[in-house]
Amino acid sequence: MDAAESLADSNGEGQAEPIEGLSPREVEVLAFERQWFRYAGAKEQAIREKFGLSPTRYYQVLNQLLEKQEALQADPMLVKRLRKMRAARQRTRSARRLGIELP
């Protein structure tokens, strides 16, 4: 079983498997990002129900997590995909502020 599969697996208590260097909540956030579409309703509602956080706070936690080397080692494809999406959104925002058209 690879790291991505172990993140998705849960033990009998509904908690994700621990990963060295990451807190249980961080492991849960990675698992949620990998499969959030399985939750019924909007992602923001699922965030509130699963983590008890506002979407804004959740995304702050997620962005901090994406900077951790341990997260990259735990699930490299997911972390790289999320980093790439974040960078694209930042470029779009910056271009819009500067009045630049992006291709």
Side-chain angles (χ1 to χ4, degrees):
M1 177 181 315
D2 66 3
E5 288 172 335
S6 69
L7 279 175
D9 288 345
S10 296
N11 63 24
E13 299 171 5
Q15 299 293 322
E17 297 284 329
I19 295 178
E20 191 172 331
L22 297 178
S23 72
R25 181 170 82 164
E26 291 171 333
V27 172
E28 289 290 327
V29 167
L30 286 177
F32 178 79
E33 279 299 315
R34 188 176 319 96
Q35 49 191 297
W36 72 265
F37 55 86
R38 293 184 183 177
Y39 294 91
K43 185 175 182 181
E44 288 77 17
Q45 184 62 31
I47 289 168
R48 285 187 180 93
E49 291 173 4
K50 183 155 180 74
F51 298 104
L53 298 172
S54 70
T56 301
R57 180 63 187 138
Y58 171 82
Y59 287 113
Q60 290 171 344
V61 169
L62 177 61
N63 280 318
Q64 290 173 351
L65 177 58
L66 292 180
E67 296 305 316
K68 287 191 167 190
Q69 189 64 29
E70 294 87 351
L72 183 63
Q73 291 172 347
D75 196 340
M77 289 180 61
L78 174 68
V79 172
K80 287 178 183 179
R81 179 174 57 85
L82 293 172
R83 284 178 177 178
K84 187 175 180 178
M85 290 170 47
R86 179 180 65 183
R89 285 191 304 270
Q90 287 172 340
R91 278 192 304 274
T92 301
R93 277 193 306 272
S94 295
R96 190 175 26 218
R97 286 185 197 131
L98 296 172
I100 300 171
E101 290 281 329
L102 291 179

